[in-house]
Amino acid sequence: AYCSNFVVWSYKVEGSMQLTAAELMGKAVFLSLVILQGNGMVNGRTVKQGDSIYIPRGCSEVIMEGYMEVLVSVPPEEN
């Protein structure tokens, strides 16, 4: 989804999922992850429902493990 403030993706993780951060970020400086349901790990860090994580530019991948629904958002690219 796209709006003037953020581009948003929703992922359902059932086991393991790997995302290429650079492709999602474009020119943005961070990705925001919100754990909507469930629990698991993101890049080796334990997460649970309600947690928020920021992935900075320079992080090449996001590895999510566990059983959870995750909302991933990024600020839109500026023209």
Side-chain angles (χ1 to χ4, degrees):
Y2 175 86
C3 74
S4 61
N5 297 313
F6 289 93
V7 179
V8 180
W9 300 271
S10 178
Y11 294 97
K12 187 170 187 173
V13 180
E14 295 179 335
S16 182
M17 179 181 288
Q18 182 173 331
L19 304 174
T20 304
E23 288 179 14
L24 294 175
M25 277 189 212
K27 295 179 182 178
V29 295
F30 68 90
L31 284 176
S32 171
L33 281 70
V34 177
I35 312 306
L36 300 176
Q37 290 185 356
N39 58 64
M41 298 186 79
V42 175
N43 287 358
R45 179 179 175 193
T46 301
V47 295
K48 65 183 181 320
Q49 182 177 346
D51 285 352
S52 237
I53 298 176
Y54 290 93
I55 305 294
R57 175 174 283 297
C59 183
S60 61
E61 60 188 13
V62 178
I63 299 171
M64 300 184 286
E65 300 172 289
Y67 294 87
M68 55 192 166
E69 290 184 34
V70 181
L71 193 68
V72 178
S73 61
V74 62
E77 292 185 17
E78 295 183 19
N79 295 329

